[in-house]
Amino acid sequence: MPISYKFDVLEALKEKGWTTYKIRKEGKLNQHTLQKIREGEPVSWLNVEKICSILGCQPGDIFEYREG
């Protein structure tokens, strides 16, 4: 896939104090979305917004485009 994550998003969330349990419990992201992130798959723009809000970053800080 030409668009990929620049870093381990779940690890970055953990560094900010957000475990996957806390994320699910507080309704930030659901289990399906967390699994997609683990597998490097794309997520919806709504979920990108939530991730950016938690991490205090822009979408371009999370994703990169690599030609084939």
Side-chain angles (χ1 to χ4, degrees), residues 20-32:
T20 55
Y21 174 77
K22 181 178 175 182
I23 291 167
R24 286 191 322 269
K25 181 180 172 192
E26 295 193 17
K28 299 292 185 183
L29 301 169
N30 64 36
Q31 182 59 40
H32 180 70

Side-chain angles (χ1 to χ4, degrees), residues 6-7 45 48 52 57-64:
K6 289 182 176 179
F7 55 86
W45 282 115
V48 171
C52 287
C57 65
Q58 296 293 316
D61 298 332
I62 300 172
F63 300 101
E64 66 184 345

Side-chain angles (χ1 to χ4, degrees), residues 9-27:
V9 174
L10 296 179
E11 185 62 32
L13 291 167
K14 187 176 179 181
E15 289 173 7
K16 291 275 189 174
W18 288 88
T19 64
T20 55
Y21 174 77
K22 181 178 175 182
I23 291 167
R24 286 191 322 269
K25 181 180 172 192
E26 295 193 17

Side-chain angles (χ1 to χ4, degrees), residues 48-61:
V48 171
E49 285 180 31
K50 291 176 183 180
I51 293 166
C52 287
S53 175
I54 294 168
L55 295 178
C57 65
Q58 296 293 316
D61 298 332

